[in-house]
């Protein structure tokens, strides 16, 4: 067998150039007891970046897998942050070390909102799939799924005092859920359009909702405790067990009446509606750049205001000659007396999301995530009469404001050039730090001048801009074309460039050094126009052949024309694409030319006769960029389908796909040594890929792709159904995924192994009995040996323990019934031995609920169930007694230590410590003053 061609794998190295994602919100976080308002968390593609806004630097990266971040919610204690993803998954990260140990999977589409309860023990998530799921964080499992909304969930609020949940949706409804009974007991229909946001004020007695108009609607919530209404049942002489009859009703009455409206200045829809932790300040914004801030007055402040109004009214009545016979005046209390406009904060661009917090001195800190990849922070002194927002920081250096449309590598592989609609940046590849940022026009193409001291840009207005990297200044702007300058290529002899534009011309330019007018002595670089090639159509792309013999030009008429460079005589016409060729490149030996088109195909041609070697369907959308790897016949293509693909131009084979971008990929650049690739996308991110030493075997790659497709189709199959359960408002929280299917298979395999080993043991006993002597035991299964010579029953328990808590129920639901009797017998043994009683009880109760009919009709299982009943009750009582004893002992020890040493534990200790600190400082200041 001959030697096969070896390909090396490219892997993702880093994501940079993105400050904050447009899909996710922004949230204030605290790191290791740091000051509040200093750190913000933002989504950055699939990762979460924690920025220090004071130093304008990234302090922590919470790494995701492959799906985009859609929502962030810090926990009440500030130690964790819950992150929702595009695929409906939720992961909880620790802000201390950046690790994620808890993950939930229940939604079918992107998570749109996340909310913790006050203790941080429960998490509620809402999604675009219209479902609301309540998760138990301590037990790491889903509690239940609430169904009822008809469109995406926009906001969720906890009513802690009553254990209620309020959800709003784009279906224009606000629903109230009782979490004790898991049902919707009230639906508010007072909105004509989508409800985009809501907040609770005045100790959960007022609800503010924002929809698609300029009104913020206020609703007064009034609670009436549970009332047992017997109607006239008792009077009619019904029996005492009246609660079993339909005439008896247990009601939780809650009235929610409209109290008025607060008018916003903006006319568009509410995007974010946020309050601080104590609901003293209300902030909202629409689709524009203005943030409106309102102050919520306390009851005492409102009463003072009403007293002043009454006094004023009385004075006015007296002055009008009312005399002594003035009737008792009543001043009407309006919503505008309770919620007052505080200030407007004008951001530098449209606001995508915001978060705010109030510090003890009355200062309000605001963090804004803008639409143009920027984070801004402001402070507002709420105690002042007419406060104004002061900008305290702005994160802009680490990314472009608009999409990067052109990239280039320096000749030494160290520097990366990226240019967008307003700036050009030069990055250090190893540190990913910005070296230079220079303002420019809308750039479409770029390159490093030989020597890497200057860069040249081609702009949308048809100009050539030359920048000096040492000084970071614009050296020269030259009018090159009448239309957009679409493409630029450095000549192989490195003495000049060629440009192609929308004015149907290809122009040749030579580098020259001229005297700088400003300094007079030093020389600077310029370009001198030498020749022009006039064509019939707009030029989209130009490339020299590496031997500088030929020039390839792609035109708007879907053809590629090849000319001789020296005489500009026509040589070949390459036609066959159905749509214009957007990109092309010529191999290092000038033998092949590859063209990528908007018709989604890549064609490989020979440059000797212009024959098409192969046409390949490359991407699911337009091919935006194509480039050969230096000194090879391998090339990369980038498409609007978010993928980057590597191809072999000799064997016409697809080698690998680089997936990571979440939007259209605009361009890429390959380093001169071929070890690195940088790509840019509409998601504002730049991604660096590096070549490893790992070889790619194409057959294995294809097999892995087929396996991934099969697993995806398996997870998308029908959801398992619980027999006898009707679909209502509350359903199980989990969903079928490939992980749950694999977990169920592992449990089945473990039970199969247990059965085999049990049969072997029984056969061995029978043989020993027949022989009348003890024979050597049968050979143990290698799996059990690997687990440390454990028993088969213990191995089953180990497998169940390894199933993630959030996936346990769905894994057991997928399990076929023939395996359940064996599990029940094993559970009985585990409970008797006191092994993992809590986990075993959880699995047992779930299986009993799901397979109740089949278990109760099976006579063989009656004795097992009876034993389980007695054993579980006694074991659970034992564990409860131990926990109760330990808890009482710890409380006793705490009281003893506190009484002996006068030390306060936990929260009280920190509060008292801070109080003592403040008093000591006060005393020290007083002593200094006296001295």
């Amino acid at each position: 067998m001959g030697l096969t061609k070896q390909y090396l794998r490219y892997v993702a190295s880093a994501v940079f150039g993105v400050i904050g994602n447009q899909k996710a919100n922004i949230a204030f976080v605290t790191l290791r007891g740091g000051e509040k308002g200093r750190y913000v968390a933002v989504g950055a593609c699939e990762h979460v970046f924690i920025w220090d806004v004071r130093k304008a630097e990234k302090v922590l990266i919470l790494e995701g897998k492959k799906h985009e971040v859609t929502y962030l919610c810090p926990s009440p204690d500030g130690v964790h942050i819950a992150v929702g993803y595009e695929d409906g998954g939720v992961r909880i990260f620790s802000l201390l070390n950046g690790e994620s140990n808890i993950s939930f999977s229940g939604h079918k589409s992107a998570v749109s909102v996340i909310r913790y309860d006050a203790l941080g023990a429960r998490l509620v998530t809402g999604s675009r799939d219209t479902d609301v799921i309540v998760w138990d964080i301590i037990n790491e499992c889903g509690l239940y799924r609430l169904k009822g909304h008809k469109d995406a969930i926009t906001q969720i609020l906890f009513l802690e005092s009553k254990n209620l949940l309020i959800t709003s949706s784009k279906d224009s409804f606000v629903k109230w859920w009782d979490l004790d009974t898991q049902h919707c007991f009230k639906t508010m229909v007072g909105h004509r359009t989508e409800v985009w946001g809501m907040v609770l004020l005045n100790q959960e007695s007022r609800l503010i909702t924002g929809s698609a108009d300029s009104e913020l609607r206020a609703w007064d919530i009034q609670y009436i405790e549970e009332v047992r209404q017997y109607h006239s049942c008792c009077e009619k002489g019904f029996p005492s067990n009246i609660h079993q009859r339909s005439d008896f009703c247990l009601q939780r009455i809650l009235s929610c009446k409209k109290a008025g409206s607060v008018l916003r200045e903006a006319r568009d829809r509410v995007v974010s509606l946020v309050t601080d932790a104590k609901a003293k300040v209300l902030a909202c914004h629409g689709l524009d750049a203005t943030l409106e801030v309102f102050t919520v007055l306390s009851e005492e402040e409102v009463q003072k205001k009403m007293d002043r109004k009454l006094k004023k009214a009385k004075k006015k009545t007296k002055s009008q000659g009312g005399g002594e016979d003035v009737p008792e005046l009543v001043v009407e209390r309006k919503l505008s007396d309770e919620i007052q406009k505080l200030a407007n904060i004008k951001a530098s661009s449209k606001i995508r999301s915001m978060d705010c917090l109030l510090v003890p001195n009355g200062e309000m800190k605001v963090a804004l995530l803008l639409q143009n990849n920027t984070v801004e922070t402001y402070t507002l002194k709420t105690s002042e009469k007419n406060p104004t927002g002061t900008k305290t920081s702005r994160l802009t250096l680490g990314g472009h404001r608009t999409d990067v449309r052109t990239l280039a590598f320096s000749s030494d592989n160290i520097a990366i050039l990226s240019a967008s609609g307003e700036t050009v940046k030069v990055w250090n590849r190893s540190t990913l730090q910005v070296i230079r940022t220079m303002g420019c026009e809308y750039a479409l193409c770029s390159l490093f001048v030989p020597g890497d001291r200057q860069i040249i840009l081609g702009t949308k207005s048809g100009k050539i801009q030359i920048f000096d990297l040492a000084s970071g200044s614009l050296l020269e702007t030259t009018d090159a074309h009448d239309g957009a300058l679409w493409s630029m290529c450095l000549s192989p002899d490195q003495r000049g460039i060629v440009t192609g534009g929308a004015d149907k011309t290809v122009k040749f330019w030579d580098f020259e050094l001229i005297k700088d007018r400003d300094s007079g002595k030093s020389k600077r670089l310029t370009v001198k126009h030498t020749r022009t090639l006039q064509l019939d159509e707009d030029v989209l792309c130009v490339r020299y052949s590496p031997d500088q013999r030929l020039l390839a030009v792609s035109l708007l008429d879907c053809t590629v024309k090849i000319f001789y460079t020296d005489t500009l005589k026509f040589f070949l016409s390459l036609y066959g694409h159905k749509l214009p060729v957007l990109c092309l490149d010529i191999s290092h030996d000038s033998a092949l030319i590859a063209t990528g088109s908007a018709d989604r195909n890549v064609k490989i041609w020979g440059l000797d006769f212009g024959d098409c070697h192969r046409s390949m369907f490359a991407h699911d959308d337009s091919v935006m960029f194509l480039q050969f790897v230096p000194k090879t016949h391998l090339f990369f293509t980038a498409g609007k389908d978010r993928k980057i693909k590597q191809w072999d131009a000799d064997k016409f084979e697809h080698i690998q796909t680089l997936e990571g971008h979440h939007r259209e990929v605009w361009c890429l650049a390959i380093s001169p040594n071929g070890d690195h690739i940088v790509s840019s996308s509409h998601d504002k991110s730049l991604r660096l890929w590096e070549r490893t030493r790992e070889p790619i075997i194409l057959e294995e790659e294809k097999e892995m792709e087929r396996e991934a497709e099969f697993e995806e189709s398996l997870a998308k199959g029908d959801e398992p159904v619980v027999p006898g359960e009707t679909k209502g408002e509350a359903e199980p929280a989990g969903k079928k995924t490939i992980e749950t299917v694999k977990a169920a298979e592992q449990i089945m395999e473990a039970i199969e192994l247990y059965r085999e080993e049990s049969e072997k043991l029984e056969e061995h006993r029978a043989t020993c009995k027949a022989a009348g002597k003890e024979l050597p035991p049968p050979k143990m299964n290698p799996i059990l040996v690997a687990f440390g010579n454990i028993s088969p029953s213990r191995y089953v328990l180990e497998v169940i323990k390894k199933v993630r808590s959030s996936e346990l129920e769905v894994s057991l639901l997928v399990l076929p019934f023939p395996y359940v009797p064996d599990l029940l017998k094993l559970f009985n043994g585990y409970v008797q031995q006191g092994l993992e009683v809590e986990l075993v009880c959880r699995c047992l109760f779930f299986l009993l609920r799901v397979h109740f009919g089949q278990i109760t009709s099976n006579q063989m299982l009656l004795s097992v169930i009876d034993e389980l009943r007695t054993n579980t009750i006694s074991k659970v009582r034992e564990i409860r007694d131990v926990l109760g004893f330990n808890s009482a002992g710890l409380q006793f020890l705490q009281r003893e230590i506190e009484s002996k040493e006068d030390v306060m534990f936990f929260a009280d200790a920190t509060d008292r410590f801070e109080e003592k600190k403040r008093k000591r400082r006060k005393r020290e200041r007083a002593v200094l003053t006296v001295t």
Side-chain angles (χ1 to χ4, degrees), residues 16 397 426-436:
F16 62 106
L397 192 65
V426 180
W427 309 76
N428 184 314
R429 179 188 52 76
S430 53
T431 63
L432 301 178
Q433 297 297 314
V434 180
I435 303 167
R436 282 280 178 273

Side-chain angles (χ1 to χ4, degrees), residues 560-610:
V560 176
K561 299 277 196 293
I562 313 289
F563 298 91
Y564 289 106
T565 307
D566 49 359
T567 61
L568 296 186
K569 281 187 179 178
F570 174 74
F571 173 46
L572 292 169
S573 179
L574 312 178
Y575 56 90
H577 283 291
K578 295 181 181 69
L579 289 170
V581 174
L582 302 176
C583 50
L584 60 89
D585 200 16
I586 299 171
S587 63
H588 69 102
D589 54 4
S590 304
L592 298 174
I593 178 170
T595 58
S597 165
D599 64 6
R600 303 180 285 180
N601 290 307
V602 167
K603 290 182 189 286
I604 298 165
W605 318 74
L607 265 180
D608 41 6
F609 304 110

Side-chain angles (χ1 to χ4, degrees), residues 2-8 632-634 647-653 655 695-699:
L3 283 169
T4 56
K5 196 168 184 180
Q6 192 182 48
Y7 308 108
L8 295 177
T632 68
H633 279 188
L634 308 177
W647 307 84
D648 186 343
D650 291 331
K651 293 190 175 181
F652 318 118
E653 282 189 308
I655 300 165
I696 291 177
I697 293 121
L698 294 182
E699 287 74 18

Side-chain angles (χ1 to χ4, degrees), residues 363-374:
E363 192 177 64
M364 178 188 176
K365 294 186 177 183
V366 179
L368 302 179
L369 173 62
L370 307 184
Q371 296 274 19
N372 64 352
N373 196 27
T374 307

Side-chain angles (χ1 to χ4, degrees), residues 60-80:
L60 187 63
I61 299 175
L62 310 177
E63 292 189 3
K65 289 174 182 173
K66 65 175 183 178
H67 295 284
E68 207 171 358
V69 174
T70 55
Y71 202 86
L72 304 172
C73 180
S75 62
D77 59 4
V79 177
H80 297 92

Side-chain angles (χ1 to χ4, degrees), residues 615-841:
S615 179
M616 298 180 292
F617 182 75
H619 291 269
D620 296 328
D621 209 330
S622 303
V623 182
M624 297 304 294
F625 205 85
L626 185 151
Q627 190 176 345
F628 274 97
V629 178
K631 297 174 185 173
T632 68
H633 279 188
L634 308 177
F635 64 92
F636 280 91
T637 58
K640 276 189 175 180
D641 61 352
R642 312 175 184 185
K643 292 174 184 173
I644 298 166
K645 294 185 179 181
Q646 188 185 17
W647 307 84
D648 186 343
D650 291 331
K651 293 190 175 181
F652 318 118
E653 282 189 308
H654 171 224
I655 300 165
Q656 69 168 330
T657 302
L658 304 178
E659 290 185 88
H661 284 294
H662 301 285
R663 294 290 179 280
E664 300 92 330
V665 183
W666 296 129
C667 61
L668 58 86
I670 303 173
S671 62
N673 61 8
D675 283 345
H676 298 277
I677 300 170
V678 65
S679 57
S680 78
S681 166
H682 185 45
D683 61 13
K684 299 285 195 301
S685 71
L686 301 174
R687 285 178 186 264
L688 191 65
W689 315 81
E690 62 180 26
R691 185 162 59 188
T692 62
R693 309 315 301 165
E694 181 193 346
I696 291 177
I697 293 121
L698 294 182
E699 287 74 18
E700 282 186 12
E701 286 293 301
K702 288 171 186 172
E703 183 63 32
M704 283 163 68
E705 279 179 24
R706 283 195 292 271
E707 279 180 16
E709 281 176 19
F710 172 71
E711 287 181 356
E712 202 173 328
S713 64
L714 199 67
K716 282 182 179 174
D718 294 332
E719 287 290 320
V721 179
V722 180
E725 278 200 10
T726 55
K727 289 202 171 186
E729 286 179 334
E731 289 183 9
K735 75 165 181 180
K736 184 182 173 185
T737 61
I738 189 62
E739 284 79 17
T740 59
V741 173
K742 282 180 180 175
E745 285 174 356
Q746 285 166 358
I747 294 169
M748 283 154 63
E749 285 168 10
I751 294 168
E752 291 283 359
L753 188 144
Y754 165 73
R755 284 174 181 170
E756 286 171 18
E757 292 297 310
S758 300
E759 283 172 15
K760 270 191 206 173
L761 208 60
E762 282 176 17
E763 284 173 14
H764 175 67
R765 282 175 189 157
T767 312
C768 289
K769 198 174 182 182
K773 60 178 180 179
E774 193 68 35
L775 297 171
K779 195 176 180 182
M780 193 175 265
N781 192 298
I783 297 172
L784 300 177
V785 175
F787 271 78
N789 294 329
I790 60 172
S791 64
S793 61
R794 189 63 190 263
Y795 172 66
V796 176
L797 183 62
E798 291 297 321
V799 170
I800 293 170
K801 275 165 70 179
K802 282 184 180 176
V803 179
R804 274 164 56 185
S805 182
S806 58
E807 294 164 359
L808 186 61
E809 271 90 355
V810 185
S811 302
L812 293 171
L813 193 56
V814 174
L815 204 67
F817 181 73
Y819 293 92
V820 172
D822 290 300
L823 265 181
L824 293 178
K825 288 169 188 171
L826 285 166
F827 287 166
N828 194 18
Y830 300 150
V831 171
Q832 282 177 343
Q833 295 169 49
L835 298 171
E836 302 291 339
V837 176
E838 191 181 340
L839 175 67
V840 169
C841 285

